[in-house]
Amino acid sequence: MSAKKTAYLGMMAALSILFGYVETLIPLNFGIPGIKLGLANIVILLLLYRYSWKEALPVTLARILVIGFMFGNMFSIVYSLAGALLSMLVMSLLIRSGRFRIIGISAAGGAAHNVGQILAAYAVTTTLPLFWYLPILMIAGTLTGILIGILVGLIHERTSGL
């Protein structure tokens, strides 16, 4: 790995952590736990487009661990990790297929993130009624994914030559 790429990934990890921190400051309360904007996904989706999941994965892990230890707990780390890994897998496969645009890929990633979190919560608690939250969380994840996709599309368009 070149020094330039290493520095870029370090900068993206720091930006991802910063976005994760900013998100903790935004008071979103929809009455259902787990709904967030997903600002850190801006960085991850840009990395998936510029490089691949191999570069996005360590940035994701760094963000989850730092934000989890600073503002969460072990359960929040587990839920975030499950959601992020499933989301990254789905987005990587959709990018690789070449059939979807960035907004659709981001929307699918947002929905997949919530599916991953519910699956992790079920694995920890074995509480079947958790799945009642899934439709609401998937709608929220899709909507926030669309917003993130619009932002990433604009950023990617303006920085693709850099």
Side-chain angles (χ1 to χ4, degrees):
M1 186 180 313
S2 72
K4 182 178 178 181
K5 185 175 179 181
T6 302
Y8 181 79
L9 292 178
M11 180 191 72
M12 295 303 268
L15 189 58
S16 178
I17 292 166
L18 177 65
F19 283 163
Y21 169 67
V22 167
E23 196 160 48
T24 66
L25 301 175
I26 300 171
L28 285 179
N29 185 1
F30 295 104
I32 297 170
I35 296 177
K36 299 187 322 184
L37 290 174
L39 296 176
N41 292 327
I42 294 169
V43 173
I44 302 310
L45 193 50
L46 284 170
L47 286 172
L48 289 173
Y49 264 90
R50 185 164 185 154
Y51 296 110
S52 75
W53 66 269
K54 294 174 189 171
E55 289 80 9
L57 181 61
V59 171
T60 296
L61 295 175
R63 176 189 52 86
I64 289 170
L65 291 174
V66 169
I67 295 299
F69 284 125
M70 288 176 62
F71 304 106
N73 55 43
M74 203 51 143
F75 291 113
S76 65
I77 292 172
V78 169
Y79 300 149
S80 293
L81 189 59
L85 292 177
L86 185 58
S87 175
M88 192 179 313
L89 173 66
V90 166
M91 291 190 298
S92 294
L93 292 173
L94 293 177
I95 289 169
R96 192 174 197 175
S97 77
R99 295 177 148 181
F100 300 92
R101 294 186 181 199
I102 201 161
I103 295 171
I105 291 167
S106 181
H113 184 88
N114 289 326
V115 170
Q117 285 187 319
I118 290 291
L119 290 174
Y122 179 74
V124 169
T125 66
T126 63
T127 305
L128 202 54
L130 283 171
F131 288 96
W132 286 103
Y133 288 123
L134 193 54
I136 296 166
L137 290 177
M138 286 185 68
I139 290 168
T142 301
L143 293 175
T144 58
I146 290 169
L147 293 174
I148 297 299
I150 291 168
L151 285 171
V152 171
L154 294 170
I155 294 167
H156 182 64
E157 182 181 296
R158 287 171 173 78
T159 61
S160 61
L162 299 178

